[in-house]
Amino acid sequence: MNPQAPVYVRAEDDAWLTAVYYRFHAWSGRRPFWAGVFTLLAGLPIAYFPYADLRLGNVTIAMATTAGSGSLIIGVLLITLGLTLWFQQGVRIFAGVASILLALVSLPVSNLGGFGMGFILALVGGCLALSWVPARPVTDEAGPLDDRGAAQAVDLGKADAMEDGFLAVPGPRETETAYASETTAHADGGRNSAG
């Protein structure tokens, strides 16, 4: 959710569908919604294809494999992880890694990951879950920003490190020398004082 977006305040003459849309939009903006959608949809073909029958006239083509129970478990776990991403945002890292691992396991176990559909959806959902972060509220204390360097300095809390609109490069400290430490060999011009 964009923290700078205006907050919707329901008017008296708004339709109920408009209110539902804005409430859903606000709900989905505070969680990894699309990661949950892709992960949930990935579980469906992985769990379905090992138990599916295709009928062409009098001919029945069964895609059942010996790993049907493994496919069902992987599919149910992916559906559960998709729902978890919607309702428990705190475990998004675990859910993202678990969905990627389940996608990789589904390749040999369940008909090449639901014929590639479930595999790709689970990978996309897991990557989206790993990359999602909650939005931080934006404060207006910094004022308008002129260039990208100024924006980075203000974001990092280093507004005092700016010189003429650019980030300052720190120089050597006064106590630093060319050597890592002052030892007796370095202090006496390279001669060892022990002998």
Side-chain angles (χ1 to χ4, degrees), residues 162-179:
M162 292 186 48
E163 293 177 6
D164 300 327
F166 297 102
L167 287 176
V169 178
R173 297 182 188 140
E174 295 175 15
T175 59
E176 289 181 349
T177 62
Y179 303 105

Side-chain angles (χ1 to χ4, degrees), residues 132-154:
W132 183 84
V133 292
R136 291 186 315 213
V138 176
T139 59
D140 291 334
E141 296 172 4
L145 300 174
D146 296 332
D147 58 338
R148 186 175 178 159
Q152 288 174 350
V154 171

